[in-house]
């Protein structure tokens, strides 16, 4: 059960996304409306929030890059209409100056006017053997590696950006902290197997070692293609305390950043 903050400034969204973009955007909008109604200023969507398990990632990426896709206009409209800063989990996008290039697993930060503030391309791609029904994962078959750290100022503090498998590489988080991060987003889609083994441990460790808030928005449940994701989305403070969490299913997690305590 999640702990709800009376004056929440941060929201983490958990979803069980499918391959159907339109359905996913409708589900995300309903959850973001809940976050806005609770007073959140910044909301983090999970990895692959708009298209989970899609077999046409390259086509989706090209459409978005050419201004013909539904996801980017939806993001701008949702942020503007709800007055929210959004971390848009991940979506497939090629480099801004190469619309026909191989896509990145891209996490966007959009402000409350619907303007893009920052773009983070996932550095560490999940190429691994996993003891589940799928057996192996190779994100590098579909995505290009990112190449840089990304931080941006938001109404709730200086945000460092990361994605999912990045959590296993503490040097990235140390670099974000050294660059001034106060909060770190970690949209994710951990497998059920790896999540049960390491998810909570990794999220809390990254929070403690960086003295940052970790905003870990996950996919949580059984998806239409049969994949199972761990869930357990959470907001963790710099002491490693879990302020809010949800095991499975759709959820809106809320918390307040205590800047005074963090800076003490």
């Amino acid at each position: 059960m999640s702990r709800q903050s009376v004056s929440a400034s941060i929201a983490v969204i958990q979803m069980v996304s499918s391959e159907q973009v339109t359905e996913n955007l409708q589900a995300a909008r309903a959850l973001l409306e809940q976050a806005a109604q609770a007073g959140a200023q910044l909301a983090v969507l999970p990895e692959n929030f708009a298209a989970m398990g899609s077999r046409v990632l390259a086509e989706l990426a090209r459409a978005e890059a050419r201004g013909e896709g539904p996801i980017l206009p939806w993001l701008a409209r949702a942020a503007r209409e709800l007055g929210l800063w959004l971390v848009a989990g991940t979506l497939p996008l090629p480099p801004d100056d190469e619309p026909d290039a191989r896509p990145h697993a891209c996490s966007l930060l959009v402000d409350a006017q619907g303007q893009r503030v920052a773009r983070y391309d996932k550095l560490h791609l999940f190429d691994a053997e996993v003891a589940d029904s799928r057996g192996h994962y190779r994100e590098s078959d579909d995505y290009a590696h990112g190449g840089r750290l990304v931080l941006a100022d938001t109404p709730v503090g200086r945000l460092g950006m990361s994605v999912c498998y990045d959590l296993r590489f503490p040097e990235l988080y140390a670099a974000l902290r050294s660059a001034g991060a106060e909060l770190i987003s970690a949209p994710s889609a951990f497998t059920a197997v790896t999540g049960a083994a390491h998810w909570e441990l990794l999220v809390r460790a990254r929070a403690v070692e960086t003295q940052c808030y970790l905003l870990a928005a996950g996919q949580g449940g059984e998806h239409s293609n049969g994949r199972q994701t761990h869930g357990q989305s959470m907001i963790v403070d710099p002491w490693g305390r879990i302020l809010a969490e949800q095991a499975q299913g759709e959820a809106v997690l809320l918390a307040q950043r205590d800047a005074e305590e963090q800076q003490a």
Side-chain angles (χ1 to χ4, degrees):
M1 184 69 107
S2 63
R3 254 185 5 202
Q4 307 292 305
S5 172
V6 174
S7 56
S9 60
I10 302 163
V12 156
I13 307 298
Q14 182 164 285
M15 296 179 65
V16 189
S17 299
S18 70
E19 300 177 22
Q20 302 302 315
V21 173
T22 300
E23 293 178 5
N24 294 331
L25 296 183
Q26 289 174 346
R29 175 63 186 239
L31 294 165
L32 290 172
E33 287 175 357
Q34 293 180 41
Q37 290 166 5
Q41 296 172 278
L42 172 72
V44 182
L45 290 161
E47 187 175 24
N48 298 321
F49 76 97
M52 181 75 179
S54 174
R55 298 178 183 178
V56 291
L57 289 174
E59 289 87 341
L60 284 173
R62 283 194 293 271
E64 293 296 332
R66 293 170 180 168
E68 300 167 356
I71 303 171
L72 292 176
W74 176 90
L75 280 172
R77 185 169 59 253
R80 187 172 58 250
E81 292 177 354
L82 298 176
L84 278 172
W85 283 61
L86 299 180
V87 176
T90 63
L91 64 152
L93 275 183
D96 290 333
D97 56 352
E98 298 180 70
D100 293 317
R102 196 177 190 197
H104 292 277
C106 174
S107 187
L108 297 177
L109 176 64
V110 178
D111 70 17
Q113 286 72 50
Q115 300 298 310
R116 183 196 299 187
V117 174
R119 169 180 175 152
Y120 169 69
D121 295 328
K122 187 176 181 181
L123 284 170
H124 302 99
L125 300 178
F126 186 53
D127 291 356
E129 304 294 320
V130 177
D132 62 9
S133 59
R134 182 166 170 175
H136 68 278
Y137 298 81
R138 284 191 58 83
E139 284 188 330
S140 61
D141 287 346
D142 297 310
Y143 296 112
H145 289 268
R148 64 187 184 91
L149 294 178
V150 176
L151 298 95
D153 291 319
T154 79
V156 294
R158 187 157 176 78
L159 178 75
M161 301 180 73
S162 71
V163 174
C164 198
Y165 193 50
D166 285 336
L167 283 163
R168 295 191 181 273
F169 299 86
E171 60 272 19
L172 169 61
Y173 294 83
L176 289 171
R177 178 55 176 163
S178 294
E182 297 165 317
L183 312 98
I184 300 175
S185 55
S188 300
F190 258 55
T191 71
V193 172
T194 57
H198 296 140
W199 168 256
E200 181 179 331
L201 173 67
L202 289 168
V203 174
R204 296 179 72 186
R206 298 297 86 88
V208 171
E209 70 194 10
T210 61
Q211 290 293 281
C212 288
Y213 284 79
L214 258 288
L215 315 180
Q219 295 280 352
E222 184 169 348
H223 302 265
S224 56
N225 63 358
R227 179 173 171 179
Q228 292 186 326
T229 47
H230 177 65
Q232 200 185 358
S233 296
M234 57 178 67
I235 301 172
V236 179
D237 78 2
W239 281 86
R241 296 173 296 208
I242 299 172
L243 304 181
E245 67 177 329
Q246 176 77 21
Q248 293 270 285
E250 292 185 347
V252 178
L253 307 181
L254 301 164
Q256 182 77 19
R257 176 186 170 221
D258 188 335
E260 185 174 330
E261 180 186 53
Q262 188 177 14
Q263 294 166 5

